[in-house]
Amino acid sequence: MLDMTRKPTRSALQWFGVIMLAFFAMAGAVLSFRFRAHGIAYASLGAGALLALFFYALPPLRMPLYLAWMRVFFPVGWVV
């Protein structure tokens, strides 16, 4: 059974920021190379970079951003 971590460690939060940026970069790469949607790909990369910047620049936003992401994608993990 899947369990959503509500109290991640500091290390887990730091890795989450890197993984979030990588996720948006990979989504942008797929959009760019597979679908030739370069504008949307750049927007995806920009959104990931902006989220990562806010994530690392404003530590009070780390936990709410992490929990929001987990709430959105928890059903995906549950189905898989």
Side-chain angles (χ1 to χ4, degrees):
M1 187 81 181
L2 291 174
D3 185 28
M4 186 170 68
T5 305
R6 295 184 194 276
K7 292 281 188 175
T9 64
R10 181 181 168 139
S11 175
L13 282 175
Q14 289 175 343
W15 274 108
F16 174 74
V18 173
I19 291 170
M20 185 174 49
L21 178 60
F23 171 80
F24 280 100
M26 288 181 3
V30 168
L31 289 167
S32 181
F33 294 117
R34 177 75 172 142
F35 300 108
R36 305 288 187 232
H38 301 296
I40 298 172
Y42 291 136
S44 174
L45 183 58
L50 190 63
L51 281 172
L53 177 71
F54 282 136
F55 187 80
Y56 286 112
L58 302 169
L61 288 180
R62 289 181 184 171
M63 188 65 74
L65 187 59
Y66 173 84
L67 291 175
W69 184 277
M70 290 299 145
R71 283 187 188 113
V72 168
F73 285 101
F74 183 76
V76 174
W78 187 79
V79 168
V80 171

